[in-house]
Amino acid sequence: MKENRKKQFELLKKYFESIIKDNHYSRLGKVFTTSKKKYFYDTGTGKIFECKNNVYLILKHLAETNSFDALLELKMEEHELIEALIELKEAVNDENLLQAPPVKAFSGPNVENLVPYINEGLEQITLELSERCNLRCGYCIYGQQNDLFRDFGTRDMSFETARKAIDYAAAHSGKELAVTFYGGEPLLNLDVMKKTIDYCKETIKDKKVTYAITTNLVLMTKEIAEYIASIDDFVVTCSLDGPKEIQNEYRKFPDGTGSFDVVMQGLKNIADALGDKISSRLTFSMVVNPPYTDEKFDLIQEFFEEIDWLPKDVVKNVTYVQDRRQEKIDEKTFLKSFEGDVDPMGAWTNKKISNYAELEQGELFTSKNVENQFLRIHLRRLHDEPMDCYTFNGCCVPGSRRIYVTVDGKFKICERIGLSPYIGNVDQGIDMESVRKYYVQDYMKKAVKDCNECWAVHLCSICYAECYDEKGVNFDGRYALCYGLRYDMEQALSAYHEILESDPKSLEYLNTIDVK
């Protein structure tokens, strides 16, 4: 390198080191591409900029090596390198880039307003009406293969326990309260469900109460369907994976026979009962199992398209099967462990969508998954100065957004969290000290270090699920979630901006979605 350019390089190095300080470049932002352009997402401000090729290569190399001197390894002419660094310096000065403050603590109602949120802001109470189930799905979270949740049980919730839970919820909620019935299969304890609804109607007069149930549809007779349909604001979440060959592979009765035919009859019963309200009162909970192939996704898509009595816009929430806590591994090993794509459903969706307005219309069974990722980008926090406030990512306020009540009346923070410390019960209410210790202090202490190293910290949706065992915080399974989320968000950034380049109006509907 010629002497003059060497001096320029050293001055630029000194400048960037004064800006970056002790941070790793990789946590300060992320480069990504579309089919036509290159971009940089800045962690600190949330801003996204189009990059010229050389600036893109510099940012990418800095993130990979964390060494300014390593830029000399780039196959770039000396004058080109200097020019690109000067251009990047100007952007840093003008837009306050590459300056995300370190994560030292989390903020938000989990910390500042915990007590009033818990005492006055409960939004949802979920009642585990039964531990029993009339199916034995091969991937069930309560099966022996899953170490994150309890085993299959035989107990039912009594009405006395349900009544106490409702009394607690009524006393600690705002103007609206959602009462959700869960299991096992909650319809196995239909009598208590009906008594609970009657009790809510009799005693809760000063707020709007809505209802929901998650059911495998096996017991959804015409009579039960008509009962549910007769109650305003009662949403049904149906467990259904797809066509007969896919449904029957895992969703089976205890004797090994498939459940498809019975489930489809239950689905038809509730669809007929709901009539023209089906789109607003019915959702699907789907689990996709390996092998994750385009052929399988095509079969699922064709299955829903061929049901002429089911509106295309009925929401479908789709997850991959997970039956045990993943071991702690490094990110490169995790990404290499996949034979194909880390998110094969996402890859399939991107290939299938020809007009992104299809997302709004829900025409693909994966539309909701993509929409949720796009919302995190579309509604991201944007600031001129680097944000020095870090929230609890996707974590709700424990005991406020929802409470999960076990059959014996113990409080957990969510039905998705599995084995974890309890936060109270129907007799004593919320144990504030348990909430503070396990779900604020211990979680924050453990998460701060990992979050400080992550470029997606302001885009993160990871919550308490899979971060605990019965003793407390256990992050062994969280690392894989972090790796997967970073991968997903990089892909989503690319897909989102691909749309902005070609059809930006098709994303405008995201502004109308009510995000709670």
Side-chain angles (χ1 to χ4, degrees):
M1 180 175 277
K2 294 182 180 180
E3 191 65 28
N4 184 46
R5 287 180 181 145
K6 184 177 181 181
K7 288 181 179 179
Q8 284 182 292
F9 183 83
E10 290 300 321
L11 287 172
L12 287 164
K13 176 183 176 181
K14 185 176 181 181
Y15 166 79
F16 279 98
E17 288 181 345
S18 70
I19 292 292
I20 304 304
K21 298 176 182 176
D22 295 328
N23 285 306
H24 195 297
Y25 281 96
S26 64
R27 72 165 292 265
L28 300 177
K30 184 66 178 178
V31 292
F32 62 94
T33 65
T34 63
S35 60
K36 298 177 181 178
K37 297 181 180 181
K38 296 177 172 64
Y39 295 91
F40 175 71
Y41 163 77
D42 182 64
T43 302
T45 63
K47 299 174 184 176
I48 295 175
F49 292 91
E50 184 182 344
C51 300
K52 292 180 180 178
N53 185 61
N54 285 345
V55 173
Y56 170 86
L57 292 174
I58 287 171
L59 288 167
K60 185 174 186 292
H61 203 63
L62 286 173
E64 292 171 348
T65 65
N66 199 40
S67 169
F68 199 86
D69 289 331
L71 294 176
L72 298 173
E73 302 168 0
L74 290 171
K75 295 180 180 179
M76 198 180 299
E77 295 291 336
E78 293 176 2
H79 72 279
E80 293 178 331
L81 176 60
I82 298 300
E83 288 174 2
L85 284 171
I86 291 174
E87 184 177 339
L88 179 58
K89 176 184 176 182
E90 291 173 352
V92 169
N93 280 335
D94 294 343
E95 301 293 344
N96 301 307
L97 307 184
L98 299 177
Q99 298 172 57
V103 182
K104 296 180 180 180
F106 296 129
S107 63
N110 307 57
V111 181
E112 291 95 347
N113 301 301
L114 183 64
V115 173
Y117 262 81
I118 289 177
N119 284 338
E120 304 166 14
L122 180 62
E123 297 176 18
Q124 177 179 322
I125 190 92
T126 299
L127 305 181
E128 184 184 52
L129 286 186
S130 180
E131 292 178 340
R132 296 182 293 138
C133 188
N134 42 18
L135 294 182
R136 286 296 181 270
C137 302
Y139 51 69
C140 181
I141 59 175
Y142 301 124
Q144 292 182 350
Q145 77 282 357
N146 195 315
D147 60 355
L148 304 178
F149 290 80
R150 63 166 173 79
D151 295 331
F152 285 116
T154 60
R155 299 180 298 174
D156 289 344
M157 178 178 285
S158 68
F159 173 64
E160 179 67 12
T161 297
R163 182 188 62 76
K164 290 179 180 179
I166 296 300
D167 287 345
Y168 174 86
H172 294 84
S173 54
K175 294 181 179 179
E176 297 185 7
L177 173 66
V179 178
T180 303
F181 304 106
Y182 201 77
E185 171 50 49
L187 290 181
L188 287 168
N189 196 4
L190 178 63
D191 182 58
V192 169
M193 185 183 87
K194 287 183 174 181
K195 288 180 178 178
T196 302
I197 293 172
D198 289 341
Y199 184 72
C200 288
K201 291 180 177 180
E202 293 168 4
T203 61
I204 305 178
K205 305 291 188 180
D206 59 343
K207 60 191 68 184
K208 179 180 179 181
V209 181
T210 60
Y211 305 93
I213 186 171
T214 299
T215 173
N216 59 32
L217 295 172
V218 169
L219 298 176
M220 187 61 71
T221 63
K222 290 183 178 180
E223 293 73 22
I224 294 176
E226 289 170 358
Y227 165 75
I228 289 174
S230 71
I231 300 171
D232 293 336
D233 300 310
F234 197 141
V235 174
V236 180
T237 296
C238 310
S239 299
L240 176 68
D241 293 345
K244 191 167 188 174
E245 60 268 39
I246 292 176
Q247 171 80 3
N248 284 349
E249 185 177 4
Y250 285 91
R251 290 192 181 273
K252 301 178 180 181
F253 288 100
D255 64 3
T257 58
S259 63
F260 179 81
D261 292 336
V262 177
V263 167
M264 287 303 293
Q265 183 58 60
L267 177 59
K268 188 66 167 65
N269 290 339
I270 189 63
D272 288 345
L274 291 175
D276 60 4
K277 297 180 180 179
I278 187 171
S279 293
S280 61
R281 293 185 55 183
L282 185 75
T283 66
F284 287 98
S285 176
M286 303 172 60
V287 179
V288 176
N289 291 271
Y292 302 120
T293 64
D294 285 356
E295 291 75 19
K296 175 178 283 189
F297 302 146
D298 287 341
L299 283 174
I300 297 172
Q301 181 64 26
E302 291 168 6
F303 165 72
F304 283 108
E305 289 177 353
E306 291 172 359
I307 305 177
D308 56 9
W309 43 266
L310 185 71
K312 298 297 184 289
D313 61 348
V314 170
V315 172
K316 303 165 188 73
N317 295 299
V318 196
T319 60
Y320 296 106
V321 65
Q322 183 172 359
D323 56 13
R324 61 184 66 251
R325 191 184 299 276
Q326 297 194 37
E327 296 180 359
K328 181 181 178 181
I329 57 176
D330 65 87
E331 191 161 2
K332 289 184 178 179
T333 303
F334 171 82
L335 294 175
K336 288 180 179 179
S337 68
F338 291 85
E339 295 181 2
D341 199 288
V342 176
D343 180 18
M345 277 194 295
W348 175 85
T349 303
N350 288 332
K351 286 185 286 187
K352 284 290 180 180
I353 291 180
S354 57
N355 178 353
Y356 281 87
E358 294 170 358
L359 288 179
E360 180 181 7
Q361 298 159 7
E363 293 187 6
L364 294 178
F365 78 93
T366 53
S367 291
K368 192 65 177 179
N369 290 37
V370 177
E371 180 181 274
N372 288 338
Q373 290 182 343
F374 282 4
L375 277 170
R376 300 204 72 80
I377 298 168
H378 192 77
L379 302 178
R380 71 188 184 278
R381 295 164 63 194
L382 278 168
H383 290 258
D384 184 55
E385 300 283 341
M387 295 174 275
D388 59 1
C389 174
Y390 295 91
T391 65
F392 264 76
N393 302 332
C395 297
C396 61
V397 179
S400 175
R401 183 178 179 186
R402 66 177 68 178
I403 293 175
Y404 183 71
V405 187
T406 63
V407 289
D408 55 355
K410 294 178 181 177
F411 287 173
K412 300 173 75 71
I413 67 171
C414 177
E415 71 275 7
R416 295 178 56 238
I417 195 172
L419 299 176
S420 56
Y422 294 108
I423 59 171
N425 58 62
V426 294
D427 293 309
Q428 279 81 42
I430 289 288
D431 182 346
M432 292 288 184
E433 291 309 308
S434 290
V435 174
R436 283 196 185 93
K437 171 177 168 48
Y438 294 112
Y439 299 100
V440 178
Q441 296 166 355
D442 290 357
Y443 184 89
M444 187 190 301
K445 181 179 179 181
K446 185 69 174 175
V448 158
K449 180 179 181 297
D450 297 327
C451 294
N452 187 53
E453 300 171 359
C454 181
W455 65 265
V457 61
H458 289 303
L459 299 174
C460 183
S461 60
I462 291 175
C463 68
Y464 292 120
E466 297 188 45
C467 296
Y468 286 84
D469 57 30
E470 60 270 33
K471 296 180 181 178
V473 174
N474 182 338
F475 272 17
D476 287 353
R478 186 180 191 263
Y479 298 101
L481 296 179
C482 294
Y483 306 153
L485 179 128
R486 282 194 286 269
Y487 176 89
D488 288 345
M489 292 313 303
E490 181 181 357
Q491 301 304 306
L493 282 164
S494 296
Y496 179 90
H497 283 79
E498 192 84 46
I499 305 169
L500 283 183
E501 293 171 10
S502 59
D503 188 16
K505 288 187 177 180
S506 65
L507 291 175
E508 290 179 357
Y509 85 97
L510 295 174
N511 295 319
T512 67
I513 296 176
D514 183 16
V515 180
K516 294 183 178 181

